[in-house]
Amino acid sequence: MSDLAFDVAGLSVRIGGKPILREITFALGAGRSLAIIGPNGAGKSTLLKSLGRIGIRAEGRIDVFGRPQHQYAQRALARCVSYVPQADGRTAPFTAFEFVLMARYPHLGAFAHLTHEDERIAREAMARAGVAEFATRRLDTLSGGERQKVYVAAALAQEARAILLDEPTTFLDYRHQAEILQLVRSVQSEAGLTVLTVMHDLNHGALKSDHVLALRSGTAAFWGTPGELLEGGRLEEVYDTSFDVISHPETGDPIVVPARGFV
Amino acid sequence: MRNRRRRVIVGLVLLATAVAVVAPFIGMERIAPSEVLRPAPDSVEPAIFWQIRVPRVATAFVAGAVLAVCGMAFQAMFRNPLATPFTLGVSSGASLGAAIYVRLGVYFSVFGIGGASVAAFVGALAAMATVYGLTRARGGFSSTTLLLAGVAMSFFFSSLILAIQYTASLHDSFRLIRWMMGGLAMVGYGSLLNILPFALPGIAILAFMTQELNLIATGEDLAASRGVDVARTKQVLFFAVSLAVGGVVAICGPIGFVGMMAPHMCRLMIGEDHRALFPATLLFGGAFLTLCDAVGRTVAAPAEVPVGVITALIGGPFFLWLLFRRGDIGLG
């Protein structure tokens, strides 16, 4: 099958001799969405970064859009895979437009300059993400939600076929959570992007994605559809705690709530 | 935004030109332009002007430009406003290299380039390799840890230099002290020719890496995700900085403060984008050090105050004023 976005077999990562991920295997079709879930420290972010070779080199086979990852130069890989990092609150004081424009870097040849065409694409991406009004604002003056949308705009301006998102909605208020989720879902359905999202909260869209990969202590504990995840005791295995699944009163969509020890 | 940038750059070009043109006339003895253009038959002024002042001003400008853009590069790479070749131990590594060379008393040159320059470059490279090794070891350290390591390294190198000085002859010891203060008193065309083979390639490499610097300043993970080969880019940047700083320190001594202040000044004027920040910092750093040296030649004439003393004396309070006026600077 050549229309796979990611074809991963036996992916392992060691950092400083310590195994972080062991023998992860999955295949994700182009244009599909994947939610990567699991408890803290399971290796979710590490897996996401290793797919884009972002500061992490993994062992094992990682084919990206039908080609082994190691055959890609970093720039070529960035034309296929973009990334939205976890919001850690640290930003360089670039303006939003400068930041989004920088995402055109992988499309430049060596020593080439950014052109008006790049600026047009950056502006379009900002309009798409609803952040055109922040163009001249410095990133460090934006709220967490506004900044996150600028980060997504930058990933869109990068024009990659797959986008990696690391907990895009954590720390955001409800309105921004909803806006980000909607934005990501629309770029998947309209532009046919492959979307991989690390999620902390299952109700932040994990149950709406095409596939779910659950990690636990660096190994794959579950791979399947959201419906399969909610069957008999699988969530409990992943998270080591009990859950109830209820339905949304209007849409009927499943919502996961912890069974005890909360509220 | 773009107009503002253009205005700032044009303003800095004018400032730098004015400083470079006026500075050679200023000094212990003020020289009138007419004395140089239409010299009297047996006057010494043209000789002072062309043989002493002009190479000195040119050296000051190049040194200031190098220290400023290298500071800019480090601040972006470490995402820390305090990161400079000075604070990360590169300058003191270069100083140690040059001090060892002076102490050993074996004078050599490579293709006409003085041994002190080569020794300083090797020292800078060694310090840089240590810092680079630390960024790689055990999955990397935070920039705060690296800065602390740099400061520790600076102190370590400085005490080695002191030890070398202590065991040196009175003559060598005096030379070392004067040189450590950061001075341009002894430079001529020879010094300039010694600096340029190091400074020009270093500056040229940085000039071609402004987009990479932008991306690395947003964080290494983001830079990698945008297609920057972070490890290789950092190696090239470290090499360029070692080259340029080593070349400057060998001739001028470890001149502090320009590397930290000039980039921040320019950030406040022109913003964070290194494509504009690089030329601005280059011009500002060059003009600033040239000006400081001109002041150093005149304030206590006929005595000379070393330029390193002046940069800190002028730059320190000015920078503090700026900080407290604005409240915050970038890259925090």
Side-chain angles (χ1 to χ4, degrees):
Chain A
M1 276 230 314
S2 61
D3 56 348
L4 284 178
F6 291 98
D7 190 359
V8 173
L11 183 154
S12 300
V13 174
R14 302 170 77 85
I15 296 177
K18 200 172 144 229
I20 306 294
L21 289 173
R22 277 190 301 264
E23 300 288 323
I24 308 286
T25 297
F26 71 92
L28 182 69
R32 311 308 301 260
S33 62
L34 170 68
I36 301 170
I37 63 163
N40 293 336
K44 304 187 291 291
S45 296
T46 306
L47 174 61
L48 200 69
K49 286 184 189 176
S50 67
L51 295 176
R53 203 166 61 204
I54 298 163
I56 286 169
R57 272 171 200 279
E59 294 158 38
R61 185 164 64 87
I62 307 172
D63 286 0
V64 182
F65 291 105
R67 244 175 90 194
Q69 192 198 51
H70 64 82
Q71 287 184 9
Y72 285 91
Q74 196 67 20
R75 268 193 195 199
L77 191 59
R79 288 194 290 271
C80 293
V81 185
S82 63
Y83 170 68
V84 176
Q86 208 165 359
D88 63 350
R90 251 200 107 192
T91 47
F94 291 100
T95 66
F97 181 66
E98 284 171 345
F99 181 79
V100 175
L101 187 58
M102 274 182 223
R104 298 296 301 161
Y105 177 80
H107 297 279
L108 302 176
F111 307 126
H113 293 285
L114 293 162
T115 62
H116 289 293
E117 176 67 4
D118 293 311
E119 294 187 6
R120 189 187 61 75
I121 292 168
R123 275 183 216 290
E124 258 178 35
M126 290 185 84
R128 183 92 173 74
V131 290
E133 57 182 308
F134 304 135
T136 56
R137 290 268 302 276
R138 268 171 51 164
L139 289 179
D140 48 353
T141 66
L142 298 176
S143 78
E146 293 163 346
R147 196 185 302 154
Q148 196 68 359
K149 285 196 278 185
V150 172
Y151 274 60
V152 175
L156 295 180
Q158 197 169 330
E159 292 188 316
R161 295 161 70 191
I163 178 168
L164 311 172
L165 300 122
D166 198 349
E167 300 201 22
T169 50
T170 309
F171 307 122
L172 300 191
D173 60 40
Y174 290 106
R175 179 171 71 89
H176 282 113
Q177 279 178 22
E179 284 175 359
I180 297 265
L181 290 176
Q182 216 174 354
L183 176 62
V184 170
R185 217 166 285 152
S186 73
V187 297
Q188 190 208 346
S189 59
E190 288 162 29
L193 284 186
T194 311
V195 179
L196 290 83
T197 314
V198 165
M199 280 179 213
H200 193 64
D201 188 331
L202 289 171
N203 298 317
H204 285 195
L207 302 177
K208 283 251 180 184
S209 45
D210 298 321
H211 300 280
V212 178
L213 173 64
L215 298 180
R216 200 193 138 116
S217 322
T219 58
F222 170 83
W223 164 265
T225 63
E228 290 164 353
L229 177 69
L230 298 180
E231 283 165 16
R234 281 181 174 146
L235 263 185
E236 280 73 9
E237 265 172 47
V238 173
Y239 283 99
D240 234 348
T241 183
S242 320
F243 294 92
D244 285 325
V245 181
I246 59 173
S247 297
H248 190 280
E250 273 178 35
T251 62
D253 289 336
I255 297 173
V256 173
V257 291
R260 282 187 298 276
F262 278 76
V263 189
Chain B
M1 193 65 203
R2 206 170 267 156
N3 282 331
R4 183 183 155 75
R5 274 187 194 172
R6 200 164 293 155
R7 278 205 305 278
V8 172
I9 299 274
V10 168
L12 284 172
V13 168
L14 293 177
L15 171 80
T17 313
V19 167
V21 168
V22 172
F25 295 101
I26 299 170
M28 194 172 83
E29 195 156 339
R30 187 162 296 140
I31 302 173
S34 60
E35 289 172 286
V36 177
L37 295 173
R38 288 182 301 279
D42 53 349
S43 75
V44 291
E45 273 81 8
I48 294 177
F49 185 86
W50 291 110
Q51 297 306 314
I52 297 174
R53 297 276 176 81
V54 169
R56 178 165 179 171
V57 164
T59 307
F61 198 93
V62 171
V66 160
L67 295 172
V69 294
C70 288
M72 178 203 76
F74 269 21
Q75 287 162 4
M77 284 166 76
F78 292 95
R79 303 177 78 194
N80 191 306
L82 294 175
T84 62
F86 211 75
T87 43
L88 277 160
V90 181
S91 296
S92 46
S95 303
L96 181 62
I100 290 172
Y101 174 80
V102 170
R103 178 70 185 87
L104 289 180
V106 281
Y107 294 98
F108 69 92
S109 69
V110 185
F111 303 120
I113 295 165
S117 299
V118 176
F121 169 58
V122 171
L125 210 56
M128 204 68 275
T130 312
V131 175
Y132 181 73
L134 287 172
T135 66
R136 306 269 293 170
R138 291 200 316 168
F141 293 102
S142 73
S143 66
T144 313
T145 312
L146 283 173
L147 273 179
L148 287 174
V151 171
M153 229 155 51
S154 281
F155 276 112
F156 181 70
F157 289 155
S158 297
S159 47
L160 282 181
I161 294 170
L162 282 178
I164 288 172
Q165 227 176 67
Y166 189 74
T167 61
S169 69
L170 206 58
H171 173 253
D172 283 350
S173 173
F174 181 72
R175 264 182 70 195
L176 277 169
I177 289 175
R178 284 302 296 266
W179 176 76
M180 293 283 296
M181 281 183 195
L184 293 156
M186 306 306 285
V187 304
Y189 285 108
S191 328
L192 187 60
L193 290 178
N194 261 311
I195 288 184
L196 289 180
F198 294 90
L200 291 183
I203 287 178
I205 292 171
L206 292 181
F208 278 114
M209 303 197 81
T210 53
Q211 302 199 76
E212 284 80 1
L213 281 172
N214 271 346
L215 284 161
I216 284 180
T218 66
E220 289 185 14
D221 282 352
L222 259 182
S225 81
R226 303 271 191 253
V228 177
D229 186 338
V230 175
R232 222 185 114 234
T233 303
K234 281 170 80 173
Q235 285 168 5
V236 172
L237 287 169
F238 277 142
F239 176 79
V241 167
S242 308
L243 196 65
V245 169
V248 167
V249 168
I251 303 299
C252 310
I255 300 170
F257 225 78
V258 188
M260 188 172 70
M261 197 199 66
H264 287 313
M265 289 283 307
C266 294
R267 276 194 185 92
L268 292 171
M269 290 189 285
I270 212 165
E272 192 70 21
D273 188 339
H274 288 80
R275 290 176 300 161
L277 187 60
F278 174 81
T281 305
L282 185 93
L283 291 165
F284 184 88
F288 177 72
L289 196 65
T290 309
L291 201 65
C292 286
D293 186 46
V295 170
R297 289 201 298 268
T298 44
V299 277
E304 268 199 21
V305 184
V307 70
V309 176
I310 302 288
T311 54
L313 276 181
I314 296 181
F318 187 50
F319 189 54
L320 279 178
W321 171 76
L322 208 79
L323 272 180
F324 285 103
R325 195 186 59 122
R326 278 285 295 240
D328 193 17
I329 46 170
L331 285 171

